[in-house]
Amino acid sequence: MTALVRYSRDGEIAEICLDNPPVNALGVDLRAGILDALEKFTADDGARMAVLYAAGRTFVAGADIREFGKPPKEPFLPDLVNALEALEKPILCVLHGTALGGGLELALGAHYRLGLPGVKVGLPETGLGILPGAGGTQRLPRLAGMEPALDIMTSARQVGAQEALSLGLLDALAEDGSTPLEAGRAMAMRLIAEGAGPRRISDLPAPAITPDKLNEIRAQIRKRFPGQIAQLTAIDAAVEGAALPFHEGMKHERKLFQALMDSPQRAALIHAFFAERKVAQLPELKGITPRSFEKIGVIGGGRMGGGIAVSALLAGLDVTLIERDPGAAEAAREGVAATLAESVKRGKLSDERRAEILAQKFRSATDYAVLAESDVVIEAVFEDMGIKREVFEALDRNCKPGAVLATNTSYLDIPQIAAITTRPADVIGLHFFSPAHVMRLLEIVVPEGAAPEVVATGFALGKRLRKVSVRAGVCDGFIGNRILQVYRAAADHIVLAGASPYEVDRAVVGFGFPMGPYAVQDLAGLDIGFMTRQRKAPNRDPREFVPLWGDVMHARGWHGRKTGQGYYSYGPEHPRGAPSPEVEAIIAAERAERGIQPRSFTPDEIVSRYMAAMVNESARVVGEGIAARPLDVDVTLLHGYGFPRWRGGPMHWADTQGLSEILRQIESFQREDAYFWQPAPLLQELAANGRDFSSLNKG
Ligand code: 3HC
Ligand code: NAI
């Protein structure tokens, strides 16, 4: 037997312990070890019942995802689960932490299931582009009913202990305080005393579902996961399998599982899974201990500061918020209280906890002296260097040595902000996304000279706030906004050449983004775009095309959703906006003025330009070291900009298209605008050497 599985017996109870840190993933060695232990149990005449449990922080988190895409090795997981279920003597599984995917499927093969308090179970495979492939699509419907099973599989959600109990996924919940083994032994002794024998889910009848209900569910899934195939295929596996004898259903599941395993969506989603874990693994942080933090200061309680404060409070941190005058301090306090109340409504927080946070963990003030004990201070005042200067001078005077001083600036020069203080090595950018308590992306912007432990503290704080933190170098817009500006500019080029903003939005949504660039600008406010254009005007290269229609719209007071008119017109009849003929007329006038004869674009033509611009600028960002690796760009776009996860991010997507093909397209667009479509040197280099972006992610 491998060391990953321990078999022992205490009295009449066999104890099978899985020990494969960190999450007991079911790699080939663990599978072989379990099979071996099952054989020992069968042969062990003294054992009347087995308790299977796991060591460490969690039960089994699923199949070993690192094996995906490689030739499968025996014993295969479905066969292992079948062998477990076929045991002649009863076996009990004890679940703690999270029992996910293959982990839950293994437990569904057992004859009894006990949960420790707080356990969560689920079948998250569809979120990885596959379906439960070890009997989950066959056993879960038999146990929980078809509709709950389809919901669990397609939502990929984690089901809490009480719900798992009520759906019958668990037979019992243990008392607080016992270990998996203690709880399992106690239940096994009870079962032995009752003379309980094996109980197999595969013996249960398969549930049916009406065609109408099924159509309704399929329609909902298509709407919720546009473009994705795993959720619908999981439904097919469950529903079609239920019409077959159990073992035939298992074979059908396997066939559909394999087809998904070979799909590009699976490759993209697994790339996303590992990339978002790898972003925090940076060679520069190896062995660096972050500074400890508990007390957070936030300067500015507007849109961003308020969200940052809430995010920190929800993570259990102590927060002091500074505003410019008592009225603003009180308004900020009320804003934070209101957002916390919303969290209570959404079930994220209990009302008692909210009251406790407001009474003990949060205060707003105007005097910087109260920040003397703060470990990390995050500035989120107006985007104005003069005001930031005053704030950082005050922080420098009032904060203790060793406090990390961070700015949430979107575009201002962070080294210049650091230089305001007498401790530039303690200054970094922590660039949150709006709304800061909801959006998971955090860009950690590292100016030259920042102390490594300050950067490590940024990552530790990001982890505590449950953010996905990405390291970014200093440049205008860091990673995300810099790339955004370029693909938005590409959209403007397409519109100037003849497409309408609505055609562009539709094509981009068709690709998989939740919204197109013009609908997003309406949401953010067209005044922001106007201010950005103003800010960049002094240093703009005369060859750069900047549309004038945005300024015309701005001058008319059309600032997007908040004013009822932007690229779209908003009103009671069109809460999500209707295309505006007036906007089209403004754009047509500009084309005419520039002597441009409008041409038509297919959705594919729009997407190829939009994506080529995104990939090209992404390559520049990596080539210049602003992003550490292509995967950092992918995670930024996935978590901050709505890039469809099932396409993996722009760099992963570019690899699937072939970098030579993207380069060829860029070179062809160059004939129309040689300045805008300059190929990134990194893209040229990789294409010339037959390499891809993923080759830069290794190590
Ligand atoms: N396979 C391989 N490695 C895994 C893994 C898995 N299933 N699950 C987690 N890991 C690795 C992570 O990559 C990470 O490695 P690193 O330290 O080298 O970066 C380490 O385990 C710890 O993971 P997290 O940082 O995510 O730890 P958390 O405590 O935050 O979360 C978790 C734990 C909730 C279990 C989370 O890891 C998770 O959601 N894992 C994936 C669960 C999943 O999708 N399971 C289904 C797998 S597919 C399947 O089972 C197919 C079957 O139907 C045939
Ligand atoms: P905001 O205008 O909503 O809030 C700014 C707050 O700062 C106001 O409440 C104001 O009273 C306060 N303030 C101004 N001067 C102050 C001072 N001297 N001391 C204390 N408080 C002061 O602005 P918003 O949107 O929250 O932006 C803040 C910062 O975050 C800016 O640097 C912005 O570029 C950046 N940012 C904004 C994002 C967004 O989507 N709005 C996204 C990411 C970063």
Side-chain angles (χ1 to χ4, degrees):
M1 190 191 296
T2 66
L4 304 183
V5 181
R6 293 188 290 276
Y7 179 89
S8 56
R9 179 159 60 79
D10 188 347
E12 293 182 309
I13 297 174
E15 299 167 359
I16 301 173
C17 176
L18 318 188
D19 191 1
N20 186 21
V23 293
N24 290 306
L26 282 161
V28 61
D29 292 338
L30 188 66
R31 298 197 299 272
I34 298 173
L35 200 59
D36 197 20
L38 298 184
E39 281 163 14
K40 283 204 166 73
F41 171 48
T42 301
D44 188 344
D45 289 337
R48 284 186 62 187
M49 183 160 193
V51 172
L52 187 148
Y53 68 102
R57 60 177 153 133
T58 181
F59 189 71
V60 175
D64 190 331
I65 300 172
R66 288 165 304 186
E67 291 181 353
F68 290 2
K70 297 180 189 156
K73 287 194 183 149
E74 290 191 55
F76 303 136
L77 191 52
D79 299 336
L80 174 64
V81 179
N82 286 343
L84 187 89
E85 192 185 53
L87 286 171
E88 300 283 341
K89 295 187 275 185
I91 182 161
L92 160 72
C93 236
V94 189
L95 312 183
H96 75 289
T98 42
L100 300 176
L104 178 58
E105 292 175 295
L106 185 74
L108 293 177
H111 305 140
Y112 300 92
R113 280 163 300 281
L114 170 67
L116 255 53
V119 68
K120 288 187 177 150
V121 305
L123 293 176
E125 285 90 341
T126 53
L128 299 172
I130 52 171
L131 53 76
T137 66
Q138 308 303 301
R139 289 193 176 89
L140 189 63
R142 282 175 164 81
L143 193 60
M146 188 58 87
E147 280 183 49
L150 296 185
D151 163 53
I152 290 171
M153 287 189 294
T154 55
S155 67
R157 71 188 171 93
Q158 294 189 3
V159 177
Q162 282 305 333
E163 187 185 351
L165 193 64
S166 67
L167 285 172
L169 305 186
L170 297 173
D171 297 302
L173 264 181
E175 302 275 299
D176 241 341
S178 47
T179 65
L181 179 59
E182 287 161 1
R185 281 192 63 85
M187 178 155 167
M189 280 194 261
R190 274 201 312 280
L191 288 168
I192 290 173
E194 290 165 11
R199 229 179 32 159
R200 300 183 179 94
I201 295 175
S202 63
D203 289 340
L204 297 175
I209 184 163
T210 64
D212 282 354
K213 188 75 212 170
L214 189 56
N215 285 340
E216 184 190 321
I217 293 175
R218 284 208 174 105
Q220 282 165 359
I221 294 296
R222 279 198 196 93
K223 202 164 163 207
R224 184 157 167 212
F225 303 102
Q228 296 195 52
I229 53 175
Q231 293 78 6
L232 290 168
T233 316
I235 294 177
D236 291 345
V239 173
E240 292 164 7
L244 298 169
F246 182 79
H247 287 289
E248 292 300 315
M250 287 288 286
K251 272 194 216 155
H252 189 53
E253 174 191 273
R254 194 78 198 148
K255 200 177 86 197
L256 297 178
F257 175 81
Q258 284 302 350
L260 289 178
M261 193 56 106
D262 296 337
S263 72
Q265 295 195 5
R266 189 276 303 163
L269 288 159
I270 300 281
H271 165 72
F273 177 87
F274 283 119
E276 59 204 15
R277 283 160 177 78
K278 229 172 156 185
V279 278
Q281 294 164 13
L282 293 164
E284 70 191 78
L285 297 183
K286 244 196 186 130
I288 306 289
T289 309
R291 294 180 187 162
S292 62
F293 55 85
E294 254 333 293
K295 291 189 184 340
I296 309 294
V298 176
I299 318 297
R303 181 165 166 155
M304 293 310 291
I308 294 166
V310 169
S311 179
L313 291 168
L314 291 175
L317 294 162
D318 178 281
V319 176
T320 303
L321 191 151
I322 301 287
E323 258 292 351
R324 49 188 166 152
D325 57 53
E330 179 52 23
R333 205 195 67 79
E334 281 168 11
V336 166
T339 312
L340 288 174
E342 274 169 35
S343 299
V344 174
K345 262 196 213 146
R346 281 187 284 119
K348 299 228 174 258
L349 190 71
S350 72
D351 204 33
E352 300 77 67
R353 182 87 191 106
R354 182 196 62 85
E356 200 178 292
I357 287 174
L358 287 175
Q360 293 166 20
K361 292 279 195 179
F362 179 63
R363 63 215 64 81
S364 65
T366 54
D367 183 357
Y368 283 75
V370 293
L371 296 180
E373 293 303 312
S374 294
D375 304 304
V376 177
V377 181
I378 305 163
E379 165 277 311
V381 300
F382 300 138
E383 187 77 337
D384 176 301
M385 192 50 110
I387 302 176
K388 305 258 189 215
R389 170 173 293 282
E390 283 170 24
V391 169
F392 275 84
E393 280 169 355
L395 292 177
D396 200 22
R397 280 195 305 274
N398 288 278
C399 291
K400 67 183 180 187
V404 171
L405 307 182
T407 172
N408 185 47
T409 181
S410 303
Y411 292 104
L412 296 175
D413 186 46
I414 297 180
Q416 206 184 328
I417 293 175
I420 294 167
T421 71
T422 57
R423 36 176 136 176
D426 288 338
V427 178
I428 50 168
L430 289 179
H431 186 228
F432 290 79
F433 288 70
S434 177
H437 62 294
V438 175
M439 294 289 284
R440 289 198 65 208
L441 182 63
L442 175 64
E443 284 180 310
I444 297 186
V445 191
V446 182
E448 216 171 291
E453 66 275 15
V454 170
V455 182
T457 310
F459 275 91
L461 177 65
K463 191 166 183 194
R464 178 84 182 259
L465 302 184
R466 302 169 69 87
K467 302 286 177 202
V468 180
S469 307
V470 177
R471 182 201 195 282
V474 172
C475 68
D476 194 287
F478 316 130
I479 298 177
N481 283 348
R482 170 165 162 183
I483 297 168
L484 168 78
Q485 284 174 24
V486 174
Y487 64 79
R488 266 197 190 157
D492 287 345
H493 282 81
I494 299 167
V495 169
L496 186 71
S500 75
Y502 319 111
E503 285 175 297
V504 172
D505 277 359
R506 271 199 299 276
V508 167
V509 169
F511 179 82
F513 282 86
M515 291 167 92
Y518 296 103
V520 171
Q521 287 179 67
D522 273 3
L523 191 64
L526 298 188
D527 43 331
I528 293 188
F530 178 77
M531 285 186 303
T532 306
R533 287 193 295 279
Q534 300 286 98
R535 178 174 59 80
K536 295 187 113 183
N539 300 319
R540 185 168 294 134
D541 190 297
R543 290 169 297 176
E544 190 184 332
F545 158 70
V546 183
L548 300 175
W549 66 72
D551 295 350
V552 177
M553 289 164 67
H554 185 265
R556 292 193 188 177
W558 297 357
H559 293 177
R561 278 196 185 207
K562 59 188 171 192
T563 59
Q565 177 68 49
Y567 281 97
Y568 295 80
S569 310
Y570 302 85
E573 279 166 38
H574 304 289
R576 291 155 151 243
S580 161
E582 285 168 288
V583 170
E584 292 199 86
I586 295 172
I587 295 169
E590 183 167 349
R591 284 188 200 119
E593 212 163 288
R594 291 178 188 253
I596 293 168
Q597 195 62 36
R599 53 162 285 211
S600 62
F601 283 83
T602 65
D604 282 352
E605 281 176 310
I606 292 172
V607 165
S608 63
R609 281 161 195 255
Y610 195 71
M611 288 306 301
M614 192 185 299
V615 170
N616 200 35
E617 191 62 14
S618 299
R620 246 185 255 288
V621 159
V622 174
E624 291 171 19
I626 298 300
R629 298 147 299 191
L631 67 87
D632 299 82
V633 172
D634 283 342
V635 172
T636 303
L637 273 286
L638 289 176
H639 284 284
Y641 298 83
F643 194 97
R645 190 176 172 87
W646 53 277
R647 292 195 189 268
M651 309 304 271
H652 177 88
W653 177 85
D655 281 352
T656 66
Q657 305 300 299
L659 299 193
S660 302
E661 171 55 19
I662 303 229
L663 182 60
R664 190 196 60 73
Q665 288 177 6
I666 291 173
E667 285 167 350
S668 75
F669 304 148
Q670 241 183 335
R671 288 193 284 274
E672 294 164 28
D673 185 338
Y675 175 75
F676 183 75
W677 289 108
Q678 295 173 59
L682 179 66
L683 181 63
Q684 288 175 310
E685 188 191 315
L686 291 173
N689 294 311
R691 291 176 63 196
D692 58 13
F693 288 124
S694 88
S695 65
L696 303 176
N697 286 334
K698 309 221 156 76

